[in-house]
Amino acid sequence: MSNFIQTLNDAWQRTNSLLCVGLDPEPSKFPGALAGRPDAIFDFCREIVDATAPYASSFKPQIAYFAAHRAEDQLEHLIAHIHARHPGLPVILDAKRGDIGSTAEQYAREAFERYQADAVTVNPYMGFDSIEPYLQHAGKGVIVLCRTSNAGGSDLQFLETGGRPLYQVVAQLAAEKWNASGQLGLVVGATFPKEIEVVRGIVGDMPLLIPGIGAQGGDVQATVSAGRTANGTGMLINSSRAIIYAGKGEDFAQAAAKAAMETRDRINAFR
Amino acid sequence: MSNFIQTLNDAWQRTNSLLCVGLDPEPSKFPGALAGRPDAIFDFCREIVDATAPYASSFKPQIAYFAAHRAEDQLEHLIAHIHARHPGLPVILDAKRGDIGSTAEQYAREAFERYQADAVTVNPYMGFDSIEPYLQHAGKGVIVLCRTSNAGGSDLQFLETGGRPLYQVVAQLAAEKWNASGQLGLVVGATFPKEIEVVRGIVGDMPLLIPGIGAQGGDVQATVSAGRTANGTGMLINSSRAIIYAGKGEDFAQAAAKAAMETRDRINAFR
């Protein structure tokens, strides 16, 4: 039985990287040589994965990009490929699911049994009983949205309740009430380094999935300073588009590898 | 170009029903005759749909139940079947998606282009820019989670902010800021009739999708009194398990039809 949190800690140490490569495949952005291939999405992602694996400690496929193209089977093959060829690098399925218990059980089966993901992202709006069914899958990780990197994230997450913004309440619920099994992580966007610092203060060493560097413009130094734990880890720093679309030609995989290496190094410079 | 809100209003009038039949297919609960059929999920749902259509004004397939069984193709066929055989009854894809704009665009394609749903449920935690991409699909409906029917719904939705619980803030944002295009609806659970009444007061005639009668125990009279609009409509009152699993034997479709008819009539007794 794999254990996501342990695998992640081992990966951070072994790879000396906090980089999580996000896989958001858009066929319209693929190089010409892939056009028209029946499994173009898988082929593109596999080349990205194999080229960037030396510089990454995890991968995060975003399921919407597969679902919009009827490519669920390619997502299954991709995750199986990562497990087979890059063992020890955990796969976070970015799905942001959220529903009542009986339905959440089905989503948990989708993420962990069908796709064999090591962790899944979930939405806290429906409360703990919408998160609990995922925790029944022993050892799997559940990464709860806390403070998201988009502008509209403030619409609800920054509303003040009990003297604090809502996202801090979510962090506190996650740390103090919802994490008895030790399987949780939180999503905190890199566009808000001060808020990463506050969340880190609330949740101790809980892993933080931090999207928003790269294409979304988050500052690497401020992010790392705000989010690192005492041993200089604790973060899955995600970059998607800035890595996977670093090159537009036939050398796209090499360009992605170079972007991944540089991102890893920029992160490590501030750890 | 179909228009969800108009189609829904027409369906309420023409069918004299506010019932939304929820399609949450679990193969372990299917009658024996369907066991082992390659398209058992489609076959089960199609029989339920055809039997209950005379008593319903909409259908709501829950995508998790299909995704957990690699049955996306059966969901596509099911929605195509509903459109072909029961035109004028809108299909709400219950997916509760929520993500940043570029990803939300993919989810919108999934719901509206791939599955040809008339409306989709979405989660408001990431704010308006996570909802806006769905609204770019003119005429389609977007039904935002407001107050959910599960116990844990209170964890966040009942937190007080600005003197009101969070779900009321969501209702107000939906009514006053997010609905310029007139495509929105809200999810409000039947387990909280007083809260349905408050939401109705905030949102005017906006359609309310109300799960939680039937298996979840919500009270029909209190729900209808709280949620109806001046013309006695305005609600998609959803029942899933209490209808689709009303019978366990070969007569499951007839049992579902009887349960649907009775539910429609119980609702209509209080309109």
Side-chain angles (χ1 to χ4, degrees):
Chain A
M1 175 68 70
S2 74
N3 180 299
F4 168 69
I5 301 287
Q6 188 58 53
T7 304
L8 183 62
N9 275 288
D10 292 348
W12 282 329
Q13 298 297 338
R14 192 182 68 254
T15 65
N16 190 36
S17 172
L18 302 182
L19 175 64
C20 174
V21 174
L23 301 164
D24 299 7
E26 289 185 66
S28 64
K29 297 185 178 177
F30 291 173
L34 289 174
R37 283 201 211 171
D39 290 334
I41 292 176
F42 172 78
D43 290 341
F44 175 81
C45 290
R46 186 200 51 198
E47 291 206 44
I48 295 284
V49 162
D50 291 347
T52 60
Y55 315 109
S57 48
S58 61
F59 289 101
K60 180 179 74 65
Q62 165 49 257
I63 195 168
Y65 289 84
F66 297 83
H69 294 282
R70 287 189 181 82
E72 282 85 4
D73 56 334
Q74 297 184 60
L75 177 56
E76 288 183 35
H77 295 155
L78 176 64
I79 295 175
H81 174 84
I82 297 171
H83 289 323
R85 294 288 292 274
H86 309 287
L89 296 187
V91 175
I92 298 95
L93 183 67
D94 196 0
K96 300 189 177 69
R97 301 304 194 222
D99 213 308
I100 61 169
S102 51
T103 301
E105 285 173 22
Q106 303 293 320
Y107 280 130
R109 290 180 62 174
E110 178 193 28
F112 299 138
E113 296 178 10
R114 176 182 185 180
Y115 290 113
Q116 295 284 314
D118 300 293
V120 67
T121 55
V122 302
N123 188 306
Y125 189 70
M126 295 181 69
F128 183 57
D129 64 8
S130 73
I131 292 171
E132 213 167 11
Y134 301 91
L135 303 174
Q136 302 304 314
H137 294 253
K140 297 293 189 179
V142 180
I143 304 181
V144 180
L145 295 182
C146 176
R147 180 72 172 115
T148 61
S149 55
N150 57 316
S154 300
D155 288 347
L156 267 65
Q157 298 158 26
F158 216 67
L159 291 174
E160 197 166 295
T161 176
R164 295 166 305 173
L166 180 62
Y167 79 89
Q168 293 181 21
V169 177
V170 170
Q172 194 148 11
L173 285 168
E176 295 177 7
K177 289 198 175 174
W178 296 353
N179 197 27
S181 63
Q183 291 166 265
L184 292 192
L186 289 179
V187 175
V188 189
T191 36
F192 305 101
K194 286 182 189 158
E195 299 170 9
I196 297 175
E197 194 172 352
V198 174
V199 171
R200 176 56 75 206
I202 295 172
V203 302
D205 285 349
M206 186 181 286
L208 301 182
L209 171 60
I210 304 181
I213 67 161
Q216 292 182 62
D219 177 77
V220 174
Q221 178 171 11
T223 296
V224 175
S225 303
R228 68 181 161 211
T229 53
N231 74 355
T233 66
M235 294 173 285
L236 305 94
I237 301 184
N238 181 76
S239 180
S240 301
R241 286 166 280 172
I243 289 179
I244 69 177
Y245 303 121
K248 299 185 195 319
E250 301 316 306
D251 64 340
F252 72 97
Q254 290 159 267
K258 182 165 175 289
M261 186 181 70
E262 290 170 356
T263 307
R264 177 202 64 180
D265 292 345
R266 267 194 298 148
I267 294 167
N268 283 346
F270 303 112
R271 277 169 72 188
Chain B
M1 177 68 69
S2 74
N3 181 298
F4 169 68
I5 301 287
Q6 188 58 51
T7 305
L8 183 63
N9 275 289
D10 292 348
W12 281 329
Q13 298 297 339
R14 191 183 68 254
T15 66
N16 190 35
S17 172
L18 302 181
L19 176 64
C20 174
V21 174
L23 301 165
D24 300 7
E26 289 185 67
S28 63
K29 295 185 178 176
F30 291 173
L34 290 174
R37 283 201 211 171
D39 291 334
I41 291 176
F42 171 78
D43 291 340
F44 175 81
C45 290
R46 186 200 51 196
E47 291 207 44
I48 295 283
V49 163
D50 292 346
T52 60
Y55 315 110
S57 47
S58 61
F59 288 101
K60 181 178 75 63
Q62 165 48 258
I63 195 169
Y65 290 84
F66 297 83
H69 295 282
R70 287 190 180 79
E72 282 85 4
D73 57 334
Q74 297 183 60
L75 177 56
E76 288 183 35
H77 295 155
L78 176 64
I79 295 175
H81 174 85
I82 297 171
H83 289 322
R85 294 289 291 273
H86 309 287
L89 296 188
V91 176
I92 298 97
L93 183 66
D94 196 359
K96 300 188 177 70
R97 301 304 194 222
D99 213 309
I100 61 170
S102 51
T103 302
E105 285 173 21
Q106 303 293 322
Y107 280 131
R109 290 179 61 173
E110 178 193 29
F112 299 138
E113 296 178 11
R114 176 183 185 179
Y115 289 114
Q116 295 283 313
D118 299 292
V120 66
T121 56
V122 301
N123 188 307
Y125 188 71
M126 295 182 69
F128 183 58
D129 64 9
S130 73
I131 293 172
E132 214 168 8
Y134 301 91
L135 303 174
Q136 302 303 317
H137 293 254
K140 297 293 189 178
V142 180
I143 305 181
V144 180
L145 295 183
C146 177
R147 181 71 173 116
T148 61
S149 55
N150 58 316
S154 300
D155 288 347
L156 267 65
Q157 298 156 24
F158 215 68
L159 292 174
E160 198 166 294
T161 176
R164 296 165 306 172
L166 179 61
Y167 78 89
Q168 292 181 21
V169 177
V170 170
Q172 194 148 10
L173 285 168
E176 295 177 8
K177 290 198 176 174
W178 296 352
N179 197 28
S181 64
Q183 290 166 266
L184 292 191
L186 289 179
V187 175
V188 189
T191 36
F192 305 101
K194 284 182 189 156
E195 299 170 10
I196 296 174
E197 195 172 350
V198 174
V199 171
R200 174 58 72 207
I202 295 171
V203 302
D205 285 350
M206 186 181 286
L208 301 181
L209 171 59
I210 304 180
I213 67 162
Q216 292 182 61
D219 177 78
V220 173
Q221 179 171 11
T223 296
V224 175
S225 303
R228 68 180 162 212
T229 54
N231 75 354
T233 65
M235 295 173 285
L236 305 94
I237 301 182
N238 181 76
S239 181
S240 301
R241 287 166 279 175
I243 288 178
I244 70 177
Y245 303 120
K248 299 182 193 323
E250 301 316 305
D251 64 340
F252 72 96
Q254 290 158 271
K258 183 164 175 289
M261 186 182 70
E262 290 170 358
T263 307
R264 176 201 65 180
D265 292 344
R266 266 194 299 146
I267 294 167
N268 283 347
F270 302 112
R271 278 168 73 187

